[in-house]
Amino acid sequence: MSQTPSAVLELVALAVRVLKTRYASLARSYGNFAALLILYIIPLDIAAQHERVEQVILEREDDLIVTFKQAVTDECNMTAIAGAIIAQVAITALSLPRLSSTHWVARALFLLALASGCLSVYFCCAVQRSIGALYHPESIRNWLSLPRHGSSTRKASLAAILIISAPFNLMGLSIQALLTGLATYQGFTWTRGLDTEAGRNDSRAVFITFVVGTGACVLSYYFTVFLKSIENNLFFGGNTAGRPDPTALDNISGTAQLPPTSNQRLPSLPAVQSESDREGLFAALEAAARTHIQCAEAERRVASEYALAFQVRAHGI
């Protein structure tokens, strides 16, 4: 029990560290004002999306950028289905009994939920059309990046991030408007005594149950998301994508990479005469490289688990 206040203070300090890290990353790309606007004023998950996009455009492998394109397409498909369902529920809510006798805010919120749900479906189609027209990995990188001069480092485009995030954010706005409209409708049904067939305190009990139950569901999810963000910042040094830092793993293992020597020579490969022998050699080399990559990933996971156990023991979590 005595460690509880210190653990809470440590979580708060880690949360502040996460915000500072994201603010510094956004400020380097867009300036202090835009970073402040994105991180603290606009209630959108643009900061996390910015980190993901920058990891993709800085990666040299083309497979990752193609996987990111496919992930955006799949997300649009899922968001379009969810937005259509919410819009259908919102248009059904407009036919609730005695809706006109409640406050006008309830009807306005239902209409907002309907409009934002339909627009999220439309924007999903628009994003898929824009992303689908990019056939080459380099074209996708250029679309996700700011125009650069010479050989400068790529930076994520804020406009591209907003375009990708728009369908999901509109879908979130739709569900928020729908839930708030239902709460407003039920609250005024209770306060104005519109449901004459119910008992004396039935409308009040329904309103309290709806508000408390919905609030508990929302808080339970976002609290776990907050804890996951704290874990990523604590165990991976601010790498919110959950990918271990190779430099940190080298420091944990206590080993350093040896500098290359000029007198090292690669072993000579056997002479290949036929095309089939050449293809067989390439396949063998590719299989060996894939095996080495899998072994390296396994060693990295083991080192991450050791680092995780050490941090948990050190912080008493």
Side-chain angles (χ1 to χ4, degrees), residues 27-300:
R28 286 193 301 268
S29 300
Y30 312 114
N32 294 325
F33 178 75
L36 181 65
L37 186 67
I38 293 172
L39 194 58
Y40 298 106
I41 299 178
I42 301 178
L44 304 175
D45 192 22
I46 298 178
Q49 188 77 308
H50 172 266
E51 294 180 0
R52 288 190 289 267
V53 171
E54 282 211 333
Q55 287 180 357
V56 168
I57 63 177
L58 293 177
E59 187 69 31
R60 296 182 178 179
E61 297 181 0
D62 293 339
D63 293 339
L64 183 60
I65 196 73
V66 175
T67 304
F68 178 80
K69 175 185 175 180
Q70 184 62 38
V72 172
T73 304
D74 295 340
E75 181 181 347
C76 287
N77 294 332
M78 177 189 63
T79 304
I81 296 174
I85 294 174
I86 297 172
Q88 185 176 2
V89 174
I91 198 172
T92 305
L94 290 172
S95 60
L96 287 172
R98 296 172 296 276
L99 180 61
S100 299
S101 300
T102 61
H103 203 279
W104 62 267
V105 173
R107 285 173 290 168
L109 289 173
F110 289 150
L111 287 174
L112 177 61
L114 173 62
S116 56
C118 294
L119 287 175
S120 68
V121 176
Y122 171 74
F123 289 155
C124 283
C125 299
V127 171
Q128 280 188 331
R129 185 177 182 181
S130 300
I131 296 293
L134 305 173
Y135 302 106
H136 302 286
E138 192 64 24
S139 300
I140 304 175
R141 286 193 183 92
N142 293 333
W143 190 81
L144 293 172
S145 308
L146 288 172
R148 57 175 182 169
H149 304 283
S151 59
S152 59
T153 306
R154 291 182 181 271
K155 294 182 180 180
S157 171
L158 181 59
I161 295 173
L162 291 174
I163 292 173
I164 295 174
S165 305
F168 183 80
N169 291 328
L170 281 175
M171 190 266 292
L173 175 63
S174 180
I175 188 65
Q176 292 172 11
L178 177 63
L179 294 177
T180 308
L182 289 174
T184 304
Y185 167 78
Q186 190 58 42
F188 279 95
T189 300
W190 161 45
T191 56
R192 295 183 177 179
L194 299 177
D195 193 357
T196 57
E197 298 179 0
R200 181 178 180 182
N201 298 321
D202 288 357
S203 297
R204 181 183 64 182
V206 171
F207 173 74
I208 294 175
T209 303
F210 175 78
V211 173
V212 173
T214 305
C217 294
V218 173
L219 288 178
S220 63
Y221 173 75
Y222 282 105
F223 181 71
T224 53
V225 171
F226 171 75
L227 289 182
K228 184 59 181 176
S229 178
I230 295 298
E231 286 180 356
N232 291 336
N233 187 75
L234 177 62
F235 301 131
F236 298 117
N239 189 357
T240 57
R243 300 174 60 187
D245 186 5
T247 306
L249 296 180
D250 291 338
N251 295 333
I252 292 174
S253 60
T255 60
Q257 296 181 352
L258 295 176
T261 57
S262 58
N263 56 356
Q264 288 182 346
R265 301 180 61 184
L266 295 175
S268 59
L269 297 176
V272 180
Q273 301 296 335
S274 63
E275 184 67 24
S276 59
D277 293 339
R278 185 180 295 107
E279 292 180 356
L281 178 60
F282 287 163
L285 291 176
E286 184 178 0
R290 190 180 300 110
T291 303
H292 282 295
I293 293 174
Q294 292 175 355
C295 293
E297 290 296 332
E299 293 177 356
R300 181 178 296 179

